[in-house]
Amino acid sequence: MEMESHTFDKLDLQLVAALELDARAPFSRIAAVLGVSDQTIARRFRRLSAEGGLRVVAVRDAERLGQSQWMLRLRCAPDSAETIAEALAKRPDTAWIGLASGGTEVVCMTRPRSPGDHDDLLLGKLPRTPSIMEIRAHQILNRFFGGPTGWISRFDALTDEQIAALRPRLPDPSGPVRIDPEDEPLVAALERDGRATYPELQRATGRSESVVKRRLAALLASGAVYVDVEYHAETLGYACAAVLWITAAPAALHSVGEALATHDEIAFAAATAGPSNIVVTAVARDTAGLYAYLSGRLGTLEGVQHVETTPFLRRIKQLTYARPTR
């Protein structure tokens, strides 16, 4: 796939692609593989953080942990949608919050860590909010694309040799896929800053550096946690994003999902429960590009019966909400 960046140049794309492979890789290793100096990589990282919204954060993989995950659609009074979105963004169990449908709808991904979290949000707080006129909840059943697999991989910014050199060498997973209570301070520190140094993690957890290294390696190897990269797609020249609620024929559900996972425009795709059975996030350069995708590659995909398009007006939250202090 060939994509051209408006703000990112080739080295910027290579840096973000390297971070998607191993977000904790030392700048020295990234620099050696990309053939530039350590100082150049550090300078690019700082600039992308300041201008492109680049952040590295740890994410709990709800699918691997066997936890429920929901996509919510909240139809709101027009003057209240932003306030509701901001309130949701402050919750630790939410991600990917956007204002949509001209500012009358909030789309939100929830990652409840316990049944109590889920009940508190869906059965407690949201129904009692008078400015919310309708709640639709779609449980995520199967992820086709997204999570540890990042959208930057679509750009083919790295050669196969560079990918092999950068891919982290993790131990074979031997333990269960879970986050133990004693791991919570470690994961919380990485949720604030996925590139926190081992001495910083040692101070945050009160555990020895060797234990921190061992536990982090085990969590990453099991897939309970992955370290992800967030950035503003607009800096790549992709200013148009939308959630697509797709209805596929039941017999074609998996094949449609697998096909969508290969489409360049798709940043996330999953099978869901609810009125539709697939939800995807599509990214395009502009509305013309989104229309071309809807009427072309998606519209002709065998098994697709219906598509509802919800354009994002503004993103409120990606993976995390508060900016890190360091």
Side-chain angles (χ1 to χ4, degrees), residues 16-33:
V16 179
L19 291 170
E20 281 198 344
L21 284 171
D22 184 0
R24 292 183 53 81
F27 287 158
S28 58
R29 183 154 68 91
I30 296 174
V33 172

Side-chain angles (χ1 to χ4, degrees), residues 28-53:
S28 58
R29 183 154 68 91
I30 296 174
V33 172
L34 300 185
V36 296
S37 69
D38 299 10
Q39 294 81 4
T40 296
I41 292 299
R43 186 171 61 251
R44 292 296 184 105
F45 182 89
R46 289 193 297 269
R47 182 175 67 81
L48 293 175
S49 297
E51 300 175 8

Side-chain angles (χ1 to χ4, degrees), residues 192-213:
R192 293 189 295 270
D193 180 2
R195 288 186 61 84
T197 64
Y198 287 115
E200 289 172 329
L201 295 175
Q202 180 183 2
R203 290 193 294 272
T205 62
R207 307 173 84 179
S208 70
E209 189 169 323
S210 61
V211 170
V212 166
K213 287 182 177 179

Side-chain angles (χ1 to χ4, degrees), residues 1-3 5 8-21 33-34 151-163 166 236:
M1 174 183 181
E2 294 183 4
M3 294 184 180
S5 165
F8 284 28
D9 63 16
K10 180 179 179 181
L11 182 57
D12 292 332
L13 282 173
Q14 289 179 320
L15 170 56
V16 179
L19 291 170
E20 281 198 344
L21 284 171
V33 172
L34 300 185
W151 183 61
I152 287 288
S153 62
R154 308 261 194 218
F155 287 75
D156 296 329
L158 302 173
T159 66
D160 291 342
E161 291 76 14
Q162 289 172 324
I163 291 172
L166 288 164
L236 293 167

Side-chain angles (χ1 to χ4, degrees), residues 7-278:
T7 301
F8 284 28
D9 63 16
K10 180 179 179 181
L11 182 57
D12 292 332
L13 282 173
Q14 289 179 320
L15 170 56
V16 179
L19 291 170
E20 281 198 344
L21 284 171
D22 184 0
R24 292 183 53 81
F27 287 158
S28 58
R29 183 154 68 91
I30 296 174
V33 172
L34 300 185
V36 296
S37 69
D38 299 10
Q39 294 81 4
T40 296
I41 292 299
R43 186 171 61 251
R44 292 296 184 105
F45 182 89
R46 289 193 297 269
R47 182 175 67 81
L48 293 175
S49 297
E51 300 175 8
L54 179 65
R55 292 193 63 202
V56 176
V57 292
V59 179
R60 303 163 192 258
D61 194 334
E63 183 170 288
R64 291 284 295 155
L65 290 166
Q67 298 172 344
S68 64
Q69 199 170 10
W70 297 73
M71 186 76 83
L72 305 183
R73 300 182 67 181
L74 311 177
R75 189 164 61 88
C76 310
D79 59 349
S80 63
E82 186 168 0
T83 301
I84 291 169
E86 291 283 354
L88 285 168
K90 294 175 183 177
R91 293 180 62 102
D93 56 353
T94 63
W96 300 109
I97 300 175
L99 291 178
S101 302
T104 62
E105 185 173 332
V106 176
V107 179
C108 172
M109 176 79 80
T110 72
R111 293 169 172 160
R113 300 179 188 178
S114 71
D117 289 342
H118 176 263
D119 293 348
D120 174 59
L121 185 61
L122 288 185
L123 303 180
K125 287 186 168 56
L126 291 179
R128 291 199 301 266
T129 305
S131 51
I132 295 180
M133 304 164 65
E134 182 183 25
I135 301 172
R136 292 187 183 181
H138 303 250
Q139 186 175 14
I140 303 297
L141 302 178
N142 180 69
R143 184 175 60 210
F144 297 112
F145 186 81
T149 307
W151 183 61
I152 287 288
S153 62
R154 308 261 194 218
F155 287 75
D156 296 329
L158 302 173
T159 66
D160 291 342
E161 291 76 14
Q162 289 172 324
I163 291 172
L166 288 164
R167 196 179 300 280
R169 297 172 178 82
L170 295 172
D172 292 332
S174 55
V177 182
R178 71 184 185 203
I179 299 173
D180 294 328
E182 57 266 29
D183 292 325
E184 286 293 340
L186 171 61
V187 177
L190 290 165
E191 286 176 326
R192 293 189 295 270
D193 180 2
R195 288 186 61 84
T197 64
Y198 287 115
E200 289 172 329
L201 295 175
Q202 180 183 2
R203 290 193 294 272
T205 62
R207 307 173 84 179
S208 70
E209 189 169 323
S210 61
V211 170
V212 166
K213 287 182 177 179
R214 183 172 69 252
R215 289 306 305 149
L216 178 54
L219 289 169
L220 294 174
S222 73
V225 171
Y226 60 93
V227 185
D228 205 355
V229 182
E230 71 176 30
Y231 49 87
H232 297 158
E234 300 93 321
T235 59
L236 293 167
Y238 290 78
C240 184
V243 178
L244 309 182
W245 312 93
I246 299 171
T247 302
L253 175 60
H254 191 74
S255 62
V256 169
E258 291 288 310
L260 290 168
T262 69
H263 291 187
D264 296 340
E265 295 82 0
I266 299 304
F268 173 80
T272 70
S276 56
N277 54 14
I278 295 178

